[in-house]
Amino acid sequence: MTPLSDASNRTRRLAQLDQRCLWHPFTPMQLWLDEPPLVIERGEGFWLIDTDGRRYIDGVSSLWCNVHGHRVTELDDAIRAQLDRIAHTTLLGLASPPSIELAEALLAAASPDGNLTRVFYSDSGSEAVEIAAKMAYQYWQNRGQRDRRGFIAIREGYHGDTIGSVSLGGIDLFHKMYGPLLFETIFVASPCPQFHPAGEDAGRAVLAEIEVALKTHAGTICAVTLEPLIQGAGGMLTHPPGFLSKLRDLTRRYDVLLIADEVATGFGRTGRMFACHHEDVGPDLMCVAKGITGGYLPLAATLASEEIFGAFLGPVEAGKTFYHGHTYTGNALACAVGLASLKRFETAGVLEAMGPKIDLIARRLAEMRQLPHVARTRQCGFMVGIDLARPDGSPLDAAARTGAAVCAAARSRGIIIRPLGDTIVLMPAPAMDAETLDQLLVGVSETITAFFQ
Ligand code: PLP
Protein backbone atom coordinates (compact mmCIF):
# COMPACT_ATOMS: atom_id res chain seq x y z
CA MET A 1 0.00 0.00 0.00
CA THR A 2 1.41 3.42 -0.92
CA PRO A 3 1.48 5.90 1.96
CA LEU A 4 -0.94 8.80 1.65
CA SER A 5 0.74 12.03 0.54
CA ASP A 6 0.77 15.02 2.88
CA ALA A 7 -1.91 16.64 0.72
CA SER A 8 -4.27 13.66 0.92
CA ASN A 9 -3.68 13.39 4.67
CA ARG A 10 -4.60 17.04 5.05
CA THR A 11 -7.67 16.63 2.84
CA ARG A 12 -8.80 13.67 4.89
CA ARG A 13 -8.29 15.53 8.16
CA LEU A 14 -10.19 18.60 6.93
CA ALA A 15 -13.04 16.46 5.59
CA GLN A 16 -13.35 14.63 8.90
CA LEU A 17 -13.26 17.87 10.85
CA ASP A 18 -15.90 19.38 8.57
CA GLN A 19 -18.16 16.42 9.18
CA ARG A 20 -17.54 16.70 12.90
CA CYS A 21 -17.94 20.49 13.35
CA LEU A 22 -20.02 22.04 10.58
CA TRP A 23 -23.71 22.30 9.79
CA HIS A 24 -24.01 23.12 6.09
CA PRO A 25 -26.71 25.38 4.58
CA PHE A 26 -29.63 23.87 2.65
CA THR A 27 -28.10 20.44 3.24
CA PRO A 28 -29.67 17.21 4.45
CA MET A 29 -26.87 16.61 6.96
CA GLN A 30 -27.66 12.90 7.28
CA LEU A 31 -26.50 12.51 3.67
CA TRP A 32 -23.58 14.90 4.07
CA LEU A 33 -22.10 12.64 6.72
CA ASP A 34 -22.09 9.66 4.32
CA GLU A 35 -19.41 10.96 1.92
CA PRO A 36 -16.27 13.00 2.60
CA PRO A 37 -16.87 16.53 1.29
CA LEU A 38 -14.92 18.19 -1.49
CA VAL A 39 -12.75 20.85 0.13
CA ILE A 40 -12.07 23.88 -2.07
CA GLU A 41 -9.10 25.95 -1.08
CA ARG A 42 -8.14 28.15 -4.00
CA GLY A 43 -9.54 29.81 -7.09
CA GLU A 44 -8.06 30.99 -10.37
CA GLY A 45 -10.25 32.88 -12.80
CA PHE A 46 -13.31 30.70 -13.40
CA TRP A 47 -11.77 27.63 -11.80
CA LEU A 48 -11.91 26.24 -8.28
CA ILE A 49 -9.02 24.16 -6.92
CA ASP A 50 -9.41 21.56 -4.17
CA THR A 51 -6.98 20.65 -1.41
CA ASP A 52 -5.48 17.94 -3.62
CA GLY A 53 -4.88 20.39 -6.46
CA ARG A 54 -7.73 19.17 -8.69
CA ARG A 55 -9.37 21.87 -10.83
CA TYR A 56 -13.08 22.40 -11.48
CA ILE A 57 -15.02 24.94 -13.55
CA ASP A 58 -17.14 27.05 -11.19
CA GLY A 59 -20.40 26.35 -13.06
CA VAL A 60 -22.69 28.16 -10.61
CA SER A 61 -20.33 31.05 -9.85
CA SER A 62 -20.02 30.05 -6.17
CA LEU A 63 -23.75 30.19 -5.57
CA TRP A 64 -24.60 32.81 -8.18
CA CYS A 65 -22.37 35.55 -6.89
CA ASN A 66 -19.00 35.51 -8.65
CA VAL A 67 -18.92 37.91 -11.61
CA HIS A 68 -15.39 38.52 -12.94
CA GLY A 69 -13.71 35.32 -11.81
CA HIS A 70 -11.69 34.51 -8.71
CA ARG A 71 -8.53 36.41 -7.74
CA VAL A 72 -9.01 39.24 -10.18
CA THR A 73 -6.14 41.67 -9.66
CA GLU A 74 -8.20 44.90 -9.59
CA LEU A 75 -10.62 43.43 -7.07
CA ASP A 76 -7.90 41.92 -4.87
CA ASP A 77 -6.04 45.23 -4.93
CA ALA A 78 -9.16 47.21 -3.96
CA ILE A 79 -9.54 45.12 -0.82
CA ARG A 80 -5.83 45.38 0.04
CA ALA A 81 -5.87 49.16 -0.45
CA GLN A 82 -8.91 49.51 1.78
CA LEU A 83 -7.36 47.21 4.37
CA ASP A 84 -4.44 49.65 4.58
CA ARG A 85 -6.97 52.31 5.62
CA ILE A 86 -9.54 50.47 7.74
CA ALA A 87 -11.56 47.24 7.50
CA HIS A 88 -14.82 48.38 9.03
CA THR A 89 -16.49 51.36 10.64
CA THR A 90 -20.16 51.74 11.46
CA LEU A 91 -22.74 53.62 9.38
CA LEU A 92 -24.79 54.24 12.52
CA GLY A 93 -23.94 57.87 13.19
CA LEU A 94 -20.86 57.93 10.91
CA ALA A 95 -20.19 57.99 7.17
CA SER A 96 -17.39 56.32 5.20
CA PRO A 97 -15.82 56.95 1.77
CA PRO A 98 -16.34 53.44 0.28
CA SER A 99 -20.03 53.31 1.22
CA ILE A 100 -20.62 56.78 -0.24
CA GLU A 101 -18.72 56.14 -3.47
CA LEU A 102 -20.37 52.75 -4.01
CA ALA A 103 -23.85 54.19 -3.36
CA GLU A 104 -23.37 56.80 -6.07
CA ALA A 105 -22.05 54.23 -8.58
CA LEU A 106 -24.75 51.71 -7.68
CA LEU A 107 -27.58 54.16 -8.26
CA ALA A 108 -26.12 55.14 -11.63
CA ALA A 109 -25.77 51.46 -12.64
CA ALA A 110 -29.14 50.29 -11.30
CA SER A 111 -31.33 53.20 -12.18
CA PRO A 112 -30.32 54.89 -15.43
CA ASP A 113 -33.63 56.81 -15.41
CA GLY A 114 -32.85 58.10 -11.91
CA ASN A 115 -35.99 56.79 -10.19
CA LEU A 116 -33.99 55.05 -7.45
CA THR A 117 -32.14 57.62 -5.37
CA ARG A 118 -31.28 56.03 -2.01
CA VAL A 119 -29.13 53.08 -0.94
CA PHE A 120 -29.75 51.22 2.33
CA TYR A 121 -26.98 48.69 2.93
CA SER A 122 -27.21 45.28 4.61
CA ASP A 123 -25.26 42.03 4.44
CA SER A 124 -27.27 39.41 2.51
CA GLY A 125 -29.99 39.09 -0.08
CA SER A 126 -32.45 37.92 2.56
CA GLU A 127 -31.88 41.09 4.54
CA ALA A 128 -32.19 43.27 1.44
CA VAL A 129 -35.66 41.77 0.88
CA GLU A 130 -36.59 41.90 4.57
CA ILE A 131 -35.71 45.59 4.54
CA ALA A 132 -37.69 46.24 1.35
CA ALA A 133 -40.76 44.61 2.93
CA LYS A 134 -40.41 46.65 6.11
CA MET A 135 -39.84 49.84 4.12
CA ALA A 136 -42.89 49.17 1.96
CA TYR A 137 -45.04 48.55 5.04
CA GLN A 138 -43.76 51.57 6.92
CA TYR A 139 -44.04 53.78 3.84
CA TRP A 140 -47.80 53.33 3.91
CA GLN A 141 -47.96 53.57 7.71
CA ASN A 142 -46.03 56.83 7.61
CA ARG A 143 -48.49 58.11 5.03
CA GLY A 144 -51.40 57.28 7.33
CA GLN A 145 -52.67 54.27 5.37
CA ARG A 146 -52.81 51.99 8.37
CA ASP A 147 -54.73 49.12 6.74
CA ARG A 148 -51.94 48.40 4.29
CA ARG A 149 -50.29 45.28 5.60
CA GLY A 150 -50.52 42.73 2.79
CA PHE A 151 -48.11 41.67 0.08
CA ILE A 152 -48.64 39.92 -3.22
CA ALA A 153 -45.93 37.48 -4.31
CA ILE A 154 -45.38 34.73 -6.86
CA ARG A 155 -45.55 31.03 -6.21
CA GLU A 156 -42.20 29.26 -6.51
CA GLY A 157 -40.59 32.60 -5.71
CA TYR A 158 -37.56 32.71 -3.45
CA HIS A 159 -36.42 35.79 -1.56
CA GLY A 160 -34.19 34.44 1.18
CA ASP A 161 -34.37 32.74 4.53
CA THR A 162 -35.18 35.33 7.19
CA ILE A 163 -38.78 35.30 8.40
CA GLY A 164 -39.89 38.31 6.32
CA SER A 165 -38.30 37.06 3.13
CA VAL A 166 -39.61 33.54 3.78
CA SER A 167 -43.10 35.10 4.13
CA LEU A 168 -42.74 36.33 0.56
CA GLY A 169 -41.33 33.02 -0.68
CA GLY A 170 -43.49 30.47 -2.41
CA ILE A 171 -41.45 27.25 -2.43
CA ASP A 172 -43.18 24.68 -0.24
CA LEU A 173 -40.08 22.52 0.23
CA PHE A 174 -38.19 25.42 1.81
CA HIS A 175 -40.99 27.52 3.30
CA LYS A 176 -43.92 25.37 4.39
CA MET A 177 -42.34 24.32 7.69
CA TYR A 178 -42.26 27.95 8.88
CA GLY A 179 -45.90 28.72 7.97
CA PRO A 180 -47.03 29.56 11.51
CA LEU A 181 -44.23 32.11 11.89
CA LEU A 182 -44.95 34.08 8.73
CA PHE A 183 -46.98 37.15 7.83
CA GLU A 184 -49.79 36.59 5.39
CA THR A 185 -49.03 36.94 1.71
CA ILE A 186 -51.32 36.55 -1.28
CA PHE A 187 -49.70 34.23 -3.79
CA VAL A 188 -50.38 34.12 -7.51
CA ALA A 189 -49.15 31.49 -9.95
CA SER A 190 -45.74 31.68 -11.55
CA PRO A 191 -46.07 33.04 -15.09
CA CYS A 192 -43.54 30.55 -16.47
CA PRO A 193 -45.29 29.31 -19.64
CA GLN A 194 -43.75 25.82 -19.34
CA PHE A 195 -45.64 25.15 -16.12
CA HIS A 196 -48.74 27.39 -16.22
CA PRO A 197 -51.90 25.76 -17.63
CA ALA A 198 -52.38 28.79 -19.92
CA GLY A 199 -49.01 28.05 -21.62
CA GLU A 200 -47.97 30.96 -23.82
CA ASP A 201 -50.82 33.00 -22.30
CA ALA A 202 -49.42 32.55 -18.79
CA GLY A 203 -48.34 36.18 -18.47
CA ARG A 204 -51.80 37.49 -19.24
CA ALA A 205 -53.44 34.94 -16.92
CA VAL A 206 -51.20 35.84 -13.98
CA LEU A 207 -51.61 39.58 -14.52
CA ALA A 208 -55.37 39.03 -14.44
CA GLU A 209 -54.96 37.06 -11.21
CA ILE A 210 -52.94 39.89 -9.68
CA GLU A 211 -55.52 42.45 -10.78
CA VAL A 212 -58.30 40.45 -9.09
CA ALA A 213 -56.21 40.34 -5.89
CA LEU A 214 -55.59 44.08 -6.06
CA LYS A 215 -59.31 44.76 -6.48
CA THR A 216 -60.39 42.28 -3.81
CA HIS A 217 -57.87 43.60 -1.30
CA ALA A 218 -58.07 47.27 -2.29
CA GLY A 219 -56.46 49.59 0.24
CA THR A 220 -54.71 46.78 2.14
CA ILE A 221 -51.77 45.87 -0.12
CA CYS A 222 -48.33 47.39 0.42
CA ALA A 223 -46.48 45.94 -2.55
CA VAL A 224 -46.13 43.29 -5.20
CA THR A 225 -42.80 41.43 -4.93
CA LEU A 226 -41.08 39.43 -7.64
CA GLU A 227 -37.84 38.19 -9.09
CA PRO A 228 -37.85 40.00 -12.44
CA LEU A 229 -37.66 37.92 -15.66
CA ILE A 230 -36.63 34.64 -14.01
CA GLN A 231 -37.34 32.92 -10.70
CA GLY A 232 -34.00 31.40 -9.73
CA ALA A 233 -34.33 29.01 -6.80
CA GLY A 234 -37.84 28.01 -7.90
CA GLY A 235 -36.20 26.15 -10.80
CA MET A 236 -35.01 28.86 -13.23
CA LEU A 237 -38.59 29.70 -14.21
CA THR A 238 -38.54 32.24 -17.03
CA HIS A 239 -41.34 34.77 -17.45
CA PRO A 240 -42.86 35.78 -20.78
CA PRO A 241 -41.47 38.99 -22.33
CA GLY A 242 -43.55 42.00 -21.32
CA PHE A 243 -44.81 40.47 -18.07
CA LEU A 244 -42.64 42.71 -15.92
CA SER A 245 -43.51 45.98 -17.66
CA LYS A 246 -47.22 45.15 -17.63
CA LEU A 247 -46.98 44.33 -13.93
CA ARG A 248 -45.32 47.71 -13.39
CA ASP A 249 -48.29 49.37 -15.15
CA LEU A 250 -50.70 47.42 -12.97
CA THR A 251 -48.97 48.42 -9.73
CA ARG A 252 -49.10 52.08 -10.83
CA ARG A 253 -52.78 51.82 -11.76
CA TYR A 254 -53.68 50.32 -8.37
CA ASP A 255 -51.22 52.48 -6.41
CA VAL A 256 -49.16 49.74 -4.79
CA LEU A 257 -45.38 49.50 -4.68
CA LEU A 258 -43.29 47.20 -6.85
CA ILE A 259 -40.37 45.42 -5.16
CA ALA A 260 -37.90 43.93 -7.66
CA ASP A 261 -35.69 41.28 -6.06
CA GLU A 262 -32.58 41.44 -8.25
CA VAL A 263 -30.46 39.48 -5.78
CA ALA A 264 -29.93 36.67 -8.31
CA THR A 265 -30.54 38.53 -11.56
CA GLY A 266 -28.45 41.63 -10.84
CA PHE A 267 -24.95 42.50 -12.01
CA GLY A 268 -25.01 41.11 -15.52
CA ARG A 269 -26.52 37.69 -14.92
CA THR A 270 -29.31 38.18 -17.48
CA GLY A 271 -27.16 39.91 -20.10
CA ARG A 272 -28.03 43.45 -18.92
CA MET A 273 -26.80 45.04 -15.71
CA PHE A 274 -30.21 44.41 -14.09
CA ALA A 275 -33.17 42.34 -15.27
CA CYS A 276 -35.48 45.36 -14.95
CA HIS A 277 -33.48 47.10 -17.68
CA HIS A 278 -34.68 44.60 -20.30
CA GLU A 279 -38.16 46.11 -20.00
CA ASP A 280 -37.23 49.65 -18.93
CA VAL A 281 -38.88 49.12 -15.58
CA GLY A 282 -38.08 51.33 -12.63
CA PRO A 283 -39.31 49.59 -9.45
CA ASP A 284 -40.05 51.47 -6.22
CA LEU A 285 -37.65 49.25 -4.30
CA MET A 286 -34.85 47.09 -5.68
CA CYS A 287 -32.98 44.43 -3.68
CA VAL A 288 -29.41 43.61 -4.65
CA ALA A 289 -26.74 41.35 -3.13
CA LYS A 290 -24.69 38.36 -4.40
CA GLY A 291 -22.83 39.92 -7.38
CA ILE A 292 -22.65 43.37 -5.81
CA THR A 293 -19.05 42.71 -4.66
CA GLY A 294 -18.19 40.61 -7.70
CA GLY A 295 -18.81 37.66 -5.39
CA TYR A 296 -15.96 38.56 -3.02
CA LEU A 297 -17.56 39.66 0.27
CA PRO A 298 -21.03 39.69 1.82
CA LEU A 299 -22.87 42.91 1.05
CA ALA A 300 -26.41 43.78 0.04
CA ALA A 301 -28.47 46.87 -0.57
CA THR A 302 -32.08 47.95 -0.84
CA LEU A 303 -32.45 50.79 -3.34
CA ALA A 304 -35.43 53.10 -2.83
CA SER A 305 -37.11 55.89 -4.75
CA GLU A 306 -37.10 59.45 -3.43
CA GLU A 307 -40.89 59.15 -3.00
CA ILE A 308 -40.37 56.32 -0.50
CA PHE A 309 -37.43 57.99 1.22
CA GLY A 310 -39.45 61.20 1.57
CA ALA A 311 -42.16 59.40 3.56
CA PHE A 312 -39.58 58.66 6.28
CA LEU A 313 -38.71 62.34 6.81
CA GLY A 314 -40.24 64.52 9.52
CA PRO A 315 -39.72 65.49 13.14
CA VAL A 316 -38.31 62.63 15.22
CA GLU A 317 -41.45 62.72 17.40
CA ALA A 318 -43.54 61.87 14.33
CA GLY A 319 -42.05 58.34 14.53
CA LYS A 320 -41.24 58.06 10.85
CA THR A 321 -37.64 56.88 11.27
CA PHE A 322 -36.67 53.52 9.79
CA TYR A 323 -35.35 51.76 12.88
CA HIS A 324 -33.40 49.01 11.17
CA GLY A 325 -29.68 48.40 10.78
CA HIS A 326 -27.08 45.67 11.01
CA THR A 327 -23.66 45.88 12.64
CA TYR A 328 -21.68 45.38 9.44
CA THR A 329 -23.96 47.57 7.30
CA GLY A 330 -21.89 49.25 4.57
CA ASN A 331 -18.71 47.37 5.48
CA ALA A 332 -15.72 49.26 4.06
CA LEU A 333 -13.90 46.28 2.53
CA ALA A 334 -17.07 45.03 0.86
CA CYS A 335 -17.98 48.47 -0.49
CA ALA A 336 -14.44 49.01 -1.80
CA VAL A 337 -14.52 45.77 -3.77
CA GLY A 338 -18.09 46.54 -4.88
CA LEU A 339 -16.87 49.76 -6.43
CA ALA A 340 -13.95 47.97 -8.09
CA SER A 341 -16.38 45.39 -9.47
CA LEU A 342 -18.60 48.05 -11.04
CA LYS A 343 -15.52 49.69 -12.58
CA ARG A 344 -14.39 46.35 -13.97
CA PHE A 345 -17.73 45.93 -15.75
CA GLU A 346 -16.67 48.96 -17.78
CA THR A 347 -12.93 48.41 -18.18
CA ALA A 348 -13.39 44.77 -19.23
CA GLY A 349 -16.54 45.43 -21.31
CA VAL A 350 -18.29 42.56 -19.48
CA LEU A 351 -21.85 43.23 -20.65
CA GLU A 352 -20.80 44.03 -24.23
CA ALA A 353 -19.02 40.66 -24.51
CA MET A 354 -21.98 38.59 -23.27
CA GLY A 355 -24.14 38.55 -26.44
CA PRO A 356 -22.22 35.89 -28.42
CA LYS A 357 -21.75 33.80 -25.27
CA ILE A 358 -25.50 33.91 -24.55
CA ASP A 359 -26.01 32.64 -28.12
CA LEU A 360 -23.47 29.88 -27.50
CA ILE A 361 -25.40 28.75 -24.41
CA ALA A 362 -28.63 28.75 -26.45
CA ARG A 363 -27.04 26.57 -29.17
CA ARG A 364 -25.65 24.06 -26.68
CA LEU A 365 -29.02 23.91 -24.88
CA ALA A 366 -30.76 23.18 -28.18
CA GLU A 367 -28.38 20.21 -28.60
CA MET A 368 -29.02 19.09 -25.02
CA ARG A 369 -32.79 19.06 -25.64
CA GLN A 370 -32.12 16.19 -28.05
CA LEU A 371 -30.91 14.01 -25.17
CA PRO A 372 -33.61 11.52 -24.12
CA HIS A 373 -33.48 12.53 -20.46
CA VAL A 374 -33.62 16.30 -21.01
CA ALA A 375 -37.28 17.30 -21.02
CA ARG A 376 -36.97 21.08 -21.17
CA THR A 377 -34.41 23.85 -20.84
CA ARG A 378 -34.83 27.50 -19.87
CA GLN A 379 -32.39 30.34 -20.29
CA CYS A 380 -32.25 33.99 -19.38
CA GLY A 381 -28.80 35.28 -20.29
CA PHE A 382 -26.32 33.29 -18.20
CA MET A 383 -29.06 31.76 -16.00
CA VAL A 384 -29.98 28.26 -17.12
CA GLY A 385 -32.23 25.41 -15.98
CA ILE A 386 -32.10 21.93 -17.55
CA ASP A 387 -35.03 19.71 -16.52
CA LEU A 388 -34.20 16.01 -16.31
CA ALA A 389 -37.04 13.53 -16.83
CA ARG A 390 -37.80 10.07 -18.14
CA PRO A 391 -37.58 9.71 -21.94
CA ASP A 392 -41.40 9.87 -22.13
CA GLY A 393 -41.23 13.25 -20.36
CA SER A 394 -42.67 12.03 -17.06
CA PRO A 395 -40.89 13.15 -13.87
CA LEU A 396 -38.11 11.10 -12.35
CA ASP A 397 -38.65 9.56 -8.93
CA ALA A 398 -37.87 12.49 -6.61
CA ALA A 399 -36.58 10.15 -3.89
CA ALA A 400 -33.80 9.00 -6.23
CA ARG A 401 -32.31 12.54 -6.11
CA THR A 402 -31.16 12.18 -9.71
CA GLY A 403 -30.32 15.88 -10.10
CA ALA A 404 -27.92 15.66 -7.16
CA ALA A 405 -26.39 12.44 -8.53
CA VAL A 406 -25.80 14.03 -11.96
CA CYS A 407 -24.11 17.03 -10.33
CA ALA A 408 -21.93 14.68 -8.26
CA ALA A 409 -20.98 12.82 -11.46
CA ALA A 410 -19.99 16.13 -13.10
CA ARG A 411 -17.20 16.52 -10.56
CA SER A 412 -15.19 13.72 -12.13
CA ARG A 413 -15.27 15.77 -15.36
CA GLY A 414 -13.96 18.82 -13.49
CA ILE A 415 -17.27 20.67 -13.18
CA ILE A 416 -19.01 22.07 -10.10
CA ILE A 417 -22.76 22.52 -10.51
CA ARG A 418 -25.78 22.28 -8.18
CA PRO A 419 -29.29 21.05 -8.85
CA LEU A 420 -32.70 22.30 -7.80
CA GLY A 421 -34.51 18.97 -7.50
CA ASP A 422 -34.17 17.37 -10.93
CA THR A 423 -33.36 20.66 -12.61
CA ILE A 424 -29.67 21.15 -13.33
CA VAL A 425 -28.72 24.77 -12.79
CA LEU A 426 -25.95 26.48 -14.69
CA MET A 427 -25.05 29.98 -13.68
CA PRO A 428 -21.54 30.77 -14.88
CA ALA A 429 -19.95 34.10 -14.05
CA PRO A 430 -21.01 36.81 -16.55
CA ALA A 431 -17.35 37.38 -17.46
CA MET A 432 -16.57 33.71 -18.13
CA ASP A 433 -14.62 33.36 -21.40
CA ALA A 434 -16.25 31.50 -24.30
CA GLU A 435 -13.76 28.62 -24.20
CA THR A 436 -14.36 27.78 -20.53
CA LEU A 437 -18.09 28.33 -20.99
CA ASP A 438 -18.18 25.84 -23.85
CA GLN A 439 -16.12 23.36 -21.85
CA LEU A 440 -18.74 23.67 -19.09
CA LEU A 441 -21.69 23.18 -21.47
CA VAL A 442 -20.15 20.24 -23.30
CA GLY A 443 -19.07 18.67 -20.00
CA VAL A 444 -22.60 18.92 -18.60
CA SER A 445 -24.06 17.42 -21.75
CA GLU A 446 -21.56 14.54 -21.65
CA THR A 447 -22.24 14.01 -17.94
CA ILE A 448 -26.00 13.70 -18.54
CA THR A 449 -25.46 11.34 -21.47
CA ALA A 450 -23.04 9.11 -19.55
CA PHE A 451 -25.19 9.14 -16.39
CA PHE A 452 -28.25 7.63 -18.07
CA GLN A 453 -26.33 5.08 -20.20
N1 PLP B 1 -33.45 36.68 -3.41
C1 PLP B 1 -33.14 35.88 -4.43
C2 PLP B 1 -33.82 36.08 -5.74
C3 PLP B 1 -32.18 34.88 -4.28
O1 PLP B 1 -31.90 34.06 -5.31
C4 PLP B 1 -31.53 34.74 -3.04
C5 PLP B 1 -30.51 33.69 -2.83
O2 PLP B 1 -30.34 32.80 -3.63
C6 PLP B 1 -31.90 35.59 -1.99
C7 PLP B 1 -32.84 36.55 -2.21
C8 PLP B 1 -31.26 35.45 -0.65
O3 PLP B 1 -29.95 35.93 -0.68
P1 PLP B 1 -28.92 35.51 0.47
O4 PLP B 1 -28.64 34.06 0.28
O5 PLP B 1 -27.73 36.39 0.20
O6 PLP B 1 -29.57 35.82 1.76
Side-chain angles (χ1 to χ4, degrees), residues 64 124-127 129 158-161 227 232-233 261 263-264 289-290:
W64 314 358
S124 70
S126 307
E127 289 164 72
V129 174
Y158 178 77
H159 300 287
D161 299 330
E227 296 159 78
D261 177 354
V263 169
K290 287 192 185 282

Side-chain angles (χ1 to χ4, degrees), residues 91 96-121 267 273-274 277 288 292 299 301-304 330 335-336 338-340 342-343 346:
L91 289 197
S96 73
S99 65
I100 296 167
E101 284 161 8
L102 177 61
E104 185 193 31
L106 205 49
L107 291 170
S111 187
D113 64 359
N115 88 299
L116 297 169
T117 57
R118 298 282 163 174
V119 174
F120 192 100
Y121 288 113
F267 302 99
M273 192 55 123
F274 290 93
H277 297 177
V288 298
I292 186 173
L299 182 72
T302 306
L303 278 46
C335 288
L339 192 60
L342 281 180
K343 284 190 185 142
E346 282 172 27

Side-chain angles (χ1 to χ4, degrees), residues 3-25:
L4 287 172
S5 69
D6 284 352
S8 336
N9 270 331
R10 181 164 167 265
T11 299
R12 217 166 45 137
R13 202 186 67 246
L14 286 168
Q16 282 168 354
L17 268 178
D18 178 288
Q19 288 179 313
R20 194 182 322 148
C21 303
L22 267 82
W23 189 339
H24 283 260

Side-chain angles (χ1 to χ4, degrees), residues 13-85:
R13 202 186 67 246
L14 286 168
Q16 282 168 354
L17 268 178
D18 178 288
Q19 288 179 313
R20 194 182 322 148
C21 303
L22 267 82
W23 189 339
H24 283 260
F26 271 97
T27 303
M29 288 305 289
Q30 184 70 51
L31 299 182
W32 182 265
L33 299 178
D34 286 348
E35 291 278 334
L38 181 61
V39 188
I40 299 294
E41 116 168 301
R42 288 189 296 129
E44 247 176 51
F46 305 102
W47 294 80
L48 301 173
I49 303 164
D50 72 15
T51 38
D52 292 330
R54 280 187 294 261
R55 297 165 64 86
Y56 309 83
I57 300 175
D58 189 356
V60 285
S61 46
S62 295
L63 213 61
W64 314 358
C65 65
N66 188 270
V67 174
H68 307 288
H70 299 280
R71 290 184 49 217
V72 176
T73 308
E74 289 102 302
L75 273 63
D76 293 0
D77 287 350
I79 294 179
R80 287 196 188 100
Q82 182 59 41
L83 202 48
D84 284 342
R85 295 184 196 105

Side-chain angles (χ1 to χ4, degrees), residues 57-378:
I57 300 175
D58 189 356
V60 285
S61 46
S62 295
L63 213 61
W64 314 358
C65 65
N66 188 270
V67 174
H68 307 288
H70 299 280
R71 290 184 49 217
V72 176
T73 308
E74 289 102 302
L75 273 63
D76 293 0
D77 287 350
I79 294 179
R80 287 196 188 100
Q82 182 59 41
L83 202 48
D84 284 342
R85 295 184 196 105
I86 193 161
H88 178 71
T89 52
T90 182
L91 289 197
L92 276 71
L94 295 174
S96 73
S99 65
I100 296 167
E101 284 161 8
L102 177 61
E104 185 193 31
L106 205 49
L107 291 170
S111 187
D113 64 359
N115 88 299
L116 297 169
T117 57
R118 298 282 163 174
V119 174
F120 192 100
Y121 288 113
S122 57
D123 313 328
S124 70
S126 307
E127 289 164 72
V129 174
E130 193 88 21
I131 287 162
K134 284 176 75 174
M135 277 180 179
Y137 167 76
Q138 193 175 339
Y139 165 77
W140 292 111
Q141 295 298 307
N142 285 358
R143 287 188 47 189
Q145 298 211 25
R146 297 289 149 89
D147 292 337
R148 297 239 199 194
R149 282 195 291 270
F151 288 82
I152 296 177
I154 309 232
R155 247 176 239 299
E156 310 307 329
Y158 178 77
H159 300 287
D161 299 330
T162 54
I163 291 300
S165 47
V166 168
S167 299
L168 299 171
I171 303 180
D172 277 354
L173 177 67
F174 304 160
H175 301 142
K176 205 170 169 189
M177 164 64 79
Y178 307 105
L181 305 182
L182 309 179
F183 59 72
E184 255 180 54
T185 299
I186 299 159
F187 285 99
V188 297
S190 164
C192 179
Q194 288 184 347
F195 297 100
H196 194 285
E200 290 308 312
D201 250 354
R204 210 173 318 159
V206 175
L207 288 166
E209 203 185 338
I210 295 174
E211 186 158 14
V212 169
L214 288 168
K215 280 184 184 154
T216 312
H217 302 278
T220 67
I221 301 295
C222 299
V224 179
T225 309
L226 92 164
E227 296 159 78
L229 296 201
I230 177 165
Q231 295 171 255
M236 298 287 150
L237 306 178
T238 44
H239 295 177
F243 176 78
L244 178 62
S245 57
K246 292 198 187 94
L247 177 61
R248 172 74 280 196
D249 293 344
L250 205 56
T251 54
R252 285 231 167 84
R253 206 162 345 121
Y254 286 86
D255 195 22
V256 297
L257 303 178
L258 179 68
I259 301 175
D261 177 354
E262 293 253 19
V263 169
T265 50
F267 302 99
R269 223 44 79 177
T270 65
R272 303 283 295 270
M273 192 55 123
F274 290 93
C276 284
H277 297 177
H278 288 268
E279 301 199 5
D280 292 327
V281 162
D284 301 293
L285 290 157
M286 184 192 276
C287 309
V288 298
K290 287 192 185 282
I292 186 173
T293 59
Y296 266 54
L297 285 169
L299 182 72
T302 306
L303 278 46
S305 68
E306 199 63 15
E307 160 74 20
I308 293 190
F309 177 72
F312 289 75
L313 299 178
V316 177
E317 320 77 79
K320 293 184 171 180
T321 302
F322 188 52
Y323 286 111
H324 186 115
H326 303 281
T327 304
Y328 282 100
T329 287
N331 173 262
L333 293 174
C335 288
V337 71
L339 192 60
S341 172
L342 281 180
K343 284 190 185 142
R344 172 120 185 144
F345 266 100
E346 282 172 27
T347 54
V350 174
L351 296 177
E352 295 72 10
M354 285 181 80
K357 293 187 276 188
I358 290 171
D359 294 344
L360 167 67
I361 297 174
R363 283 199 302 279
R364 289 295 186 201
L365 289 179
E367 287 164 18
M368 273 188 236
R369 285 196 294 276
Q370 306 306 312
L371 300 178
H373 287 86
V374 172
R376 292 167 298 270
T377 65
R378 291 172 294 285

